[in-house]
Amino acid sequence: MPPAHPFDTSYLRDAGDDDKLKEECGIFGVIGVAEAANFVALGLHALQHRGQEAGGIVTHHPELGFQSARRFGYVRDNFTSQAVMETLKGPLSIGHVRYSTAGSKGQTAIRDVQPFFGEFAMGGAAIAHNGNITNANALRRELIERGSIFQSSSDSECIIHLMARSLQRNIPERMEDALRRVEGAFSVVAMTRTKLIGVRDPLGVRPLVLGQVGDGWVLSSETCALDIIGAEFIREIAPGEMVVITSKGVESHFPFRPRKPRFCIFEHVYFSRPDSILGGRSVYETREAIGRELAKESPVDADLVCPVPDSGTPAAIGYSLESGIPYAMGIIRNQYMGRTFIEPTEQIRNMGVRLKLNVNRALIQGKRVILVDDSVVRGTTSRKIKEMILDAGAKEVHFRIASPPTAWPCFYGVDTPQREKLLAATMSEDEMRDHLQVDSLRFISLDGLYRAVGEARGRDPNQPQYCDACFSGEYPVEPSDQIESGFEMKPAAE
């Protein structure tokens, strides 16, 4: 089996232990190159960490028209097939990798897999969306009452129906019209017969970048996907910006009422690949800075600093450099195990994390160990890793977490458990330490995280520079569907 992506957490789902926040989705589009679908397949492969459930590609060829392929599973297992790729001809293509954050979570039907396609009076259009629409239920009810027939459970399909009902004269204008009705977070790539379109919501919650490859243009969720096809990074699409790309070049405008940007700070902590650039900053260097800040805030006497592979690695290196405590690979990850390869019986489920991670016993035995991880969600995985470290003979186990406590669910494109299932929603830091049965547990402070991402004065409580709702409970866009379902917002006085 080929190596899994470094941040693939499918082993946790197979073990019945879903203890990591799931990346939202990845989107990618190319115009002006021969066999654009091949470029899109490579781009989606680089974005696989953003969604491992399913993927889809749509192309347009001047003679053959629109073509599409949607498949469950990894890009490498579906879009490396010559038979599939030969059906996707043309110089214009978009694609999407999915982890469901709305609709039928964990029970995806093929009709839920993006990109979505619609045929309009002025021609067809396909759309791929990263983010989450917080008023999707209200929009869906309204659209169904007016005669729309939905094919999927995805919130993103609302955009296609809103476009169909718009009275604007062309597809980019209809998309503007539709997105003005949408609340929440959206980065979108779309295509018509001759245009590649990219849009970010006014807060810029989710990333979207512009690149150039030869005479063609690229839109991508992250810069790492530009690298794989040899594209040059030009710039980020600005919050609230729409770009329409044709053979004549890139046209840009800002169709939404301007707002102060609130980019997702968790992209810096975990979601984006460490070899990507966000806001002009290397994600790797930011994560190393998080580790340094964590060492300043929460020092502890110990013999080794060990990352929880692989997402804790840059922060662990930063902690080691700042503290002077040696860095060591105390936990080794099995790179060749994707999903559980035998029937997941109770015995296998109990093995869980051990199928993926193994303790380097010779290094750990008799040592006081600092384990650096990116987050604690339910705490189940942290507890199992701690038990593995102690079983290997460690004297002490100290957890250092490279994000503040995750105490609130995200409604902007990240699959988070209900609030009552988040460990930090019901326990203090000391209570979590006792629950995990470790010698110490410390999270980076919210101000410390802000300093690590380049905000020297920390978080501005009056106008936060990022979306940090999963830590603070302060939602920049009211999650109206969730409130209607009974979700209680944090009181303003708190």
Side-chain angles (χ1 to χ4, degrees), residues 153-186:
S153 66
S154 171
D155 61 334
S156 309
E157 192 183 351
C158 289
I159 300 171
I160 286 283
H161 288 286
L162 289 169
M163 289 171 64
R165 293 191 166 274
S166 171
L167 300 177
Q168 298 301 316
R169 57 189 176 177
N170 61 45
I171 287 173
E173 289 178 358
R174 286 188 174 213
M175 184 173 293
E176 282 181 32
D177 208 20
L179 292 175
R180 287 193 188 100
R181 296 283 319 279
V182 165
E183 298 170 6
F186 55 85

Side-chain angles (χ1 to χ4, degrees), residues 57-80:
I57 296 176
V58 173
T59 61
H60 183 268
H61 186 279
E63 296 174 5
L64 301 173
F66 286 95
Q67 302 156 300
S68 69
R70 295 185 286 179
R71 300 287 189 275
F72 292 120
Y74 293 141
V75 174
R76 69 177 184 225
D77 296 331
N78 293 303
F79 296 105
T80 52

Side-chain angles (χ1 to χ4, degrees), residues 287-412:
R287 289 177 187 166
E288 186 182 292
I290 291 172
R292 288 181 180 273
E293 194 69 38
L294 192 51
K296 292 175 189 174
E297 290 187 350
S298 303
V300 62
D301 287 333
D303 302 306
L304 295 175
V305 177
C306 300
V308 175
D310 281 302
S311 52
T313 300
I317 291 170
Y319 195 103
S320 170
L321 290 170
E322 184 65 34
S323 66
I325 300 170
Y327 170 89
M329 294 298 291
I331 302 172
I332 305 302
R333 183 179 183 277
N334 178 4
Q335 301 286 351
Y336 293 90
M337 218 228 62
R339 294 187 175 274
T340 306
F341 55 93
I342 48 181
E343 185 66 28
T345 60
E346 185 65 29
Q347 182 182 6
I348 296 301
R349 277 194 292 272
N350 289 339
M351 290 171 67
V353 175
R354 293 177 188 268
L355 290 168
K356 197 75 168 185
L357 304 173
N358 192 47
V359 175
N360 193 345
R361 187 177 292 269
L363 275 179
I364 293 296
Q365 194 161 15
K367 300 293 198 311
R368 299 168 298 169
V369 180
I370 300 170
L371 289 177
V372 180
D373 203 355
D374 59 86
S375 60
V376 172
V377 182
R378 300 174 191 260
T380 45
T381 302
S382 301
R383 196 163 182 172
K384 289 178 181 178
I385 290 171
K386 177 268 304 183
E387 289 167 358
M388 289 165 59
I389 294 287
L390 288 177
D391 288 347
K395 283 175 63 177
E396 297 175 6
V397 179
H398 303 272
F399 264 107
R400 293 296 179 268
I401 310 301
S403 62
T406 305
W408 296 85
C410 173
F411 301 123
Y412 306 129

Side-chain angles (χ1 to χ4, degrees), residues 125-443:
I127 184 170
H129 168 222
N130 171 207
N132 221 38
I133 298 171
T134 57
N135 64 334
N137 291 348
L139 288 173
R140 180 181 284 255
R141 281 197 304 268
E142 174 191 322
L143 287 162
I144 288 173
E145 285 170 5
R146 294 185 177 184
S148 293
I149 300 172
F150 278 77
Q151 301 297 316
S152 77
S153 66
S154 171
D155 61 334
S156 309
E157 192 183 351
C158 289
I159 300 171
I160 286 283
H161 288 286
L162 289 169
M163 289 171 64
R165 293 191 166 274
S166 171
L167 300 177
Q168 298 301 316
R169 57 189 176 177
N170 61 45
I171 287 173
E173 289 178 358
R174 286 188 174 213
M175 184 173 293
E176 282 181 32
D177 208 20
L179 292 175
R180 287 193 188 100
R181 296 283 319 279
V182 165
E183 298 170 6
F186 55 85
S187 282
V188 168
V189 294
M191 59 179 281
T192 69
R193 291 170 294 186
T194 58
K195 297 179 176 72
L196 178 65
I197 303 166
V199 196
R200 276 181 88 186
D201 69 75
L203 293 175
V205 177
R206 297 280 154 237
L208 189 63
V209 300
L210 176 68
Q212 192 165 15
V213 56
D215 295 328
W217 295 91
V218 188
L219 292 169
S220 174
S221 288
E222 293 185 39
T223 61
C224 65
L226 302 180
D227 298 335
I228 199 173
I229 64 168
E232 177 190 0
F233 170 56
I234 301 300
R235 64 178 179 86
E236 294 187 1
I237 303 302
E241 182 181 13
M242 172 182 272
V243 292
V244 179
I245 309 171
T246 65
S247 57
K248 297 177 182 177
V250 181
E251 294 180 5
S252 165
H253 65 291
F254 291 81
F256 310 109
R257 180 174 60 85
R259 295 185 62 183
K260 181 176 168 55
R262 295 283 296 275
F263 183 63
C264 170
I265 202 166
F266 215 72
E267 290 277 357
H268 285 288
V269 174
Y270 177 68
F271 291 140
S272 295
R273 254 176 49 169
D275 50 337
S276 285
I277 305 293
L278 288 178
R281 295 173 58 88
S282 157
V283 174
Y284 178 91
E285 290 176 0
T286 295
R287 289 177 187 166
E288 186 182 292
I290 291 172
R292 288 181 180 273
E293 194 69 38
L294 192 51
K296 292 175 189 174
E297 290 187 350
S298 303
V300 62
D301 287 333
D303 302 306
L304 295 175
V305 177
C306 300
V308 175
D310 281 302
S311 52
T313 300
I317 291 170
Y319 195 103
S320 170
L321 290 170
E322 184 65 34
S323 66
I325 300 170
Y327 170 89
M329 294 298 291
I331 302 172
I332 305 302
R333 183 179 183 277
N334 178 4
Q335 301 286 351
Y336 293 90
M337 218 228 62
R339 294 187 175 274
T340 306
F341 55 93
I342 48 181
E343 185 66 28
T345 60
E346 185 65 29
Q347 182 182 6
I348 296 301
R349 277 194 292 272
N350 289 339
M351 290 171 67
V353 175
R354 293 177 188 268
L355 290 168
K356 197 75 168 185
L357 304 173
N358 192 47
V359 175
N360 193 345
R361 187 177 292 269
L363 275 179
I364 293 296
Q365 194 161 15
K367 300 293 198 311
R368 299 168 298 169
V369 180
I370 300 170
L371 289 177
V372 180
D373 203 355
D374 59 86
S375 60
V376 172
V377 182
R378 300 174 191 260
T380 45
T381 302
S382 301
R383 196 163 182 172
K384 289 178 181 178
I385 290 171
K386 177 268 304 183
E387 289 167 358
M388 289 165 59
I389 294 287
L390 288 177
D391 288 347
K395 283 175 63 177
E396 297 175 6
V397 179
H398 303 272
F399 264 107
R400 293 296 179 268
I401 310 301
S403 62
T406 305
W408 296 85
C410 173
F411 301 123
Y412 306 129
V414 181
D415 185 32
T416 44
Q418 294 174 325
R419 185 160 192 250
E420 58 269 21
K421 294 181 180 177
L422 295 168
L423 205 63
T426 57
M427 295 184 187
S428 67
E429 200 170 87
D430 288 343
E431 287 170 336
M432 283 189 273
R433 177 201 63 208
D434 295 342
H435 174 76
L436 296 175
Q437 299 175 350
V438 291
D439 292 279
S440 73
L441 169 69
R442 290 290 182 269
F443 296 80

